[in-house]
Amino acid sequence: SLMAITIYMSTHGRNGKIIPGYPVASYVGRHKRATDTYQICLDLIRFYNAKAAVESNVKDFIEWMIRQGESRLLFRRRELTAITEMMPQSTIRDEIGVRMEGEFKKRCLEKAILYVDQPIADEFDLETGEQKTIYGVSRIKDRRLLSEMLRWKPDLNTDSLVSFMLALIASESYQNMHIIKEVKDGYYQKPPAKKPTRLPNQFSMTLPQ
């Protein structure tokens, strides 16, 4: 298994418009020393001024973050209000992180499917008038994540997909708390990076249930 982290820009306001959330960065890897991998994740969380919803099936990263004095950067279970709506019978409230398994994982997959299959815009050819629907998947530039979505099956190890689903849960929880920040142009400057490979704006996919 690999360590995976998805940095997600939650729904926000810009120039008087509400902009739906989308992933802005990701990392997947595993160094020889686990603490080196953990440090990369912590650096990303700090750089993007983020807070992490962590899978707690394995607690090593959570315990390392606590030892670093950074537990404030980890969501408590009670803060992830989207989970309460999904699993109203759950009595877990104080635990850091969530367990991505069983019925909860199934419902998270449903949210991921909705994200990629949801129509978000229409484009028109100015010469022919042909209309093309743009789907939510166009917001995802991470090829590894797209590959995991297309190859998904119950026994496949999908680290990027799990990370992405947790980001969706955290973002939805912010919206439930009516936390929608106003972002000004120039507020965030992306770090230097290679020009991303162009991806198609539209394709439909359905993940197996």
Side-chain angles (χ1 to χ4, degrees), residues 6-11 20-25 115 139 164 167-168 171:
T6 298
I7 305 296
Y8 190 91
M9 182 69 163
S10 190
T11 300
Y22 52 89
V24 297
Y115 184 91
R139 295 173 286 188
F164 175 70
L168 290 179
S171 176

Side-chain angles (χ1 to χ4, degrees), residues 91-125:
T91 58
I92 301 174
R93 293 291 180 270
D94 295 326
E95 178 180 306
I96 294 177
V98 300
R99 299 180 183 276
M100 187 62 74
E101 56 192 13
E103 182 65 21
F104 175 65
K105 186 172 184 178
K106 178 181 177 181
R107 296 192 183 188
C108 286
L109 283 168
E110 292 171 354
K111 286 186 179 294
I113 292 170
L114 178 62
Y115 184 91
V116 299
D117 276 347
Q118 183 181 33
I120 59 174
D122 290 312
E123 286 186 353
F124 295 88
D125 188 300

